[in-house]
């Protein structure tokens, strides 16, 4: 009984402590409640290990020259741009049509679109057919784990968020951009404006947000790059975890491509929640007073269940 309580308390404190550490890391922060219920909190203990053994400095933007293997992408940016713009013209860069992209589901509401090139274990068949030169370039770089073309229309934005997994870093290469300071990303409050043929590396687990206050669509090459670690054992662990997550979150460009289990579950839950939220909204309109009463009652119920799990 005592050991069970101690084990539960340790797990709870581990998640609370590491989530608080992630929350306090950097200057820009999400609201406290959002941070603790955000899906990134699930990875907080793992991310704390990644930061502890990181082979790069703990700061929002990283020195791109420390990743010379990526020079080939920047040096061939026009070739990559030509394939990306062909896909754009043909309508292949688009939102997930079946709600089966858990990592970027909230972005699609802002007009953000994507076309996957590679996702952790191998290139997507559609990408090999439609943009073979770009696929060959990213596939020749072992530490590029995921790659896509990402589009953000003019007059749009992405709200502040932090990515949940610290086992990778984020690389952007400008392909067709407004070439304006009004199309920019803020990482921990520090600004970077995209330019055609220029690239940037940053830590996406800092809070970041995007604004395109121009009339032109921004198209970039967007890559997940393995985080360098100072310990070989941790590197092996990170590669194993990354490979598992990659398979579980496998995305698709076309309907006949495989979808990972997490994305399948997300699609089911999204479709269910859309139907459920519609019922809740109708009930809220019809019974506004009861709705206001039920919200704190549900909060107390959740806390009671947590207390029962810990002390029961």
């Amino acid at each position: 009984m005592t050991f069970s309580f101690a084990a539960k308390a340790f797990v709870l404190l581990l998640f609370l402590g590491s989530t608080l550490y992630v929350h306090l890391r950097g200057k820009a922060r999400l609201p406290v409640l959002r941070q603790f219920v955000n899906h990134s909190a699930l990875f907080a203990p793992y991310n704390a290990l990644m930061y502890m053994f990181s082979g790069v400095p703990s700061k929002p933007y990283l020195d791109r020259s420390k990743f010379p293997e990526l020079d080939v992408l920047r040096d061939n940016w026009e070739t990559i741009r030509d394939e990306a713009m062909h896909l754009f013209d043909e309508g292949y860069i688009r939102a997930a049509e079946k709600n089966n992209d858990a990592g970027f589901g909230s972005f699609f509401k802002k007009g953000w679109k994507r076309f996957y090139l590679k996702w952790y274990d191998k290139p997507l068949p559609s990408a090999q057919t439609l943009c073979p030169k770009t696929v060959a370039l990213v596939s020749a770089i072992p530490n590029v784990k995921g790659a896509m073309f990402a589009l953000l229309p003019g007059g749009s934005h992405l709200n502040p968020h932090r990515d949940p997994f610290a086992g990778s870093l984020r690389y952007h290469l400008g392909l067709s951009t407004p070439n304006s300071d009004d199309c920019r990303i803020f990482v921990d409050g520090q600004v970077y404006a995209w330019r055609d043929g220029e690239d940037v590396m940053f830590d996406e687990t800092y809070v970041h947000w995007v604004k395109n206050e121009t009339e032109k669509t921004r198209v970039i090459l967007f890559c997940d790059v393995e985080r360098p670690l100072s310990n070989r054992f941790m590197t092996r662990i990170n590669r194993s975890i990354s490979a598992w997550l990659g398979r579980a979150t496998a995305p698709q460009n076309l309907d006949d491509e495989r979808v990972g289990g997490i994305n399948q579950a997300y699609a089911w839950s999204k479709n269910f929640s859309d139907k459920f939220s519609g019922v809740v909204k109708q009930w809220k309109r019809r019974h506004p007073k009861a709705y206001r009463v039920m919200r704190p009652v549900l909060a107390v119920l959740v806390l009671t269940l947590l207390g029962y799990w810990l002390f029961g």
Side-chain angles (χ1 to χ4, degrees):
M1 181 75 175
T2 303
F3 175 77
S4 176
F5 170 77
K8 292 176 181 178
F10 173 77
V11 171
L12 182 61
L13 289 174
L14 177 65
F15 274 92
L16 291 176
S18 54
T19 302
L20 184 62
Y21 169 66
V22 170
H23 175 68
L24 296 175
R25 183 172 177 261
K27 298 178 181 178
R29 293 168 189 152
L30 300 174
V32 175
L33 180 59
R34 179 183 167 190
Q35 179 61 65
F36 276 85
V37 300
N38 188 268
H39 61 287
S40 65
L42 294 175
F43 288 93
Y46 183 82
N47 289 350
L49 281 176
M50 293 296 99
Y51 302 141
M52 185 182 303
F53 291 99
S54 181
V56 296
S58 182
K59 59 182 183 179
Y61 291 99
L62 301 165
D63 185 354
R64 228 292 278 134
S65 67
K66 301 298 183 182
F67 299 84
E69 66 276 15
L70 300 176
D71 289 351
V72 66
L73 299 178
R74 186 188 59 203
D75 293 344
N76 288 276
W77 77 271
E78 291 173 307
T79 297
I80 298 171
R81 178 199 59 193
D82 291 345
E83 288 194 327
M85 298 316 293
H86 174 72
L87 292 177
F88 173 68
D89 292 339
E90 295 296 320
Y92 283 105
I93 305 178
R94 57 197 180 198
E97 297 180 343
K98 296 183 178 179
N99 288 327
N100 58 2
D101 196 336
F104 304 100
S106 63
F107 289 6
F108 299 132
K109 299 175 183 178
K110 305 296 183 180
W112 187 89
K113 298 178 175 65
R114 83 291 182 267
F115 181 89
Y116 285 97
L117 303 166
K118 173 186 178 183
W119 197 248
Y120 284 78
D121 55 349
K122 57 186 177 181
L124 276 73
S126 56
Q128 290 178 305
T129 300
L130 295 169
C131 43
K133 295 178 182 178
T134 303
V135 168
L137 287 168
V138 298
S139 296
I141 309 173
N143 62 335
V144 172
K145 301 303 181 181
M148 69 179 77
F149 295 130
L151 176 158
L152 185 69
S156 188
H157 69 280
L158 300 178
N159 291 326
H161 61 283
R162 69 166 83 246
D163 286 27
F165 183 62
S168 62
L169 301 167
R170 186 62 44 79
Y171 172 79
H172 284 182
L173 172 63
L175 301 176
S176 177
T177 75
N179 290 303
S180 167
D181 289 343
D182 290 329
C183 182
R184 59 207 186 278
I185 183 171
F186 299 82
V187 184
D188 199 32
Q190 300 179 31
V191 66
Y192 173 84
W194 293 280
R195 295 288 192 277
D196 293 358
E198 297 183 5
D199 55 7
V200 65
M201 180 79 73
F202 61 95
D203 184 338
E204 75 272 30
T205 59
Y206 282 99
V207 174
H208 56 286
W209 59 98
V210 174
K211 293 183 179 181
N212 184 0
E213 297 176 316
T214 74
E215 296 181 354
K216 183 178 178 181
T217 295
R218 181 224 66 181
V219 180
I220 61 171
L221 176 67
F222 172 120
C223 298
D224 279 355
V225 178
E226 181 182 296
R227 178 186 288 270
L229 299 174
S230 60
N231 181 283
R232 291 183 180 179
F233 177 69
M234 290 304 302
T235 296
R236 288 197 294 269
I237 289 177
N238 188 42
R239 287 176 180 172
S240 296
I241 296 294
S242 296
W244 178 83
L245 282 174
R247 291 190 295 270
T249 58
Q252 64 176 190
N253 295 319
L254 303 179
D255 288 344
D256 58 351
E257 292 173 323
R258 174 183 173 272
V259 178
I262 288 178
N263 281 341
Q264 292 180 37
Y266 176 79
W268 180 87
S269 64
K270 186 70 167 61
N271 293 331
F272 175 80
S273 66
D274 287 346
K275 295 178 182 178
F276 180 74
S277 64
V279 173
V280 172
K281 287 177 181 178
Q282 290 182 3
W283 190 81
K284 177 183 176 181
R285 285 195 295 267
R286 295 175 182 174
H287 311 282
K289 293 182 179 179
Y291 177 80
R292 288 195 293 271
V293 171
M294 286 300 297
R295 288 182 64 185
V297 169
L298 289 174
V300 171
L301 178 61
V302 170
L303 291 174
T304 301
L305 291 174
L306 179 62
Y308 178 79
W309 174 80
L310 185 60
F311 299 106

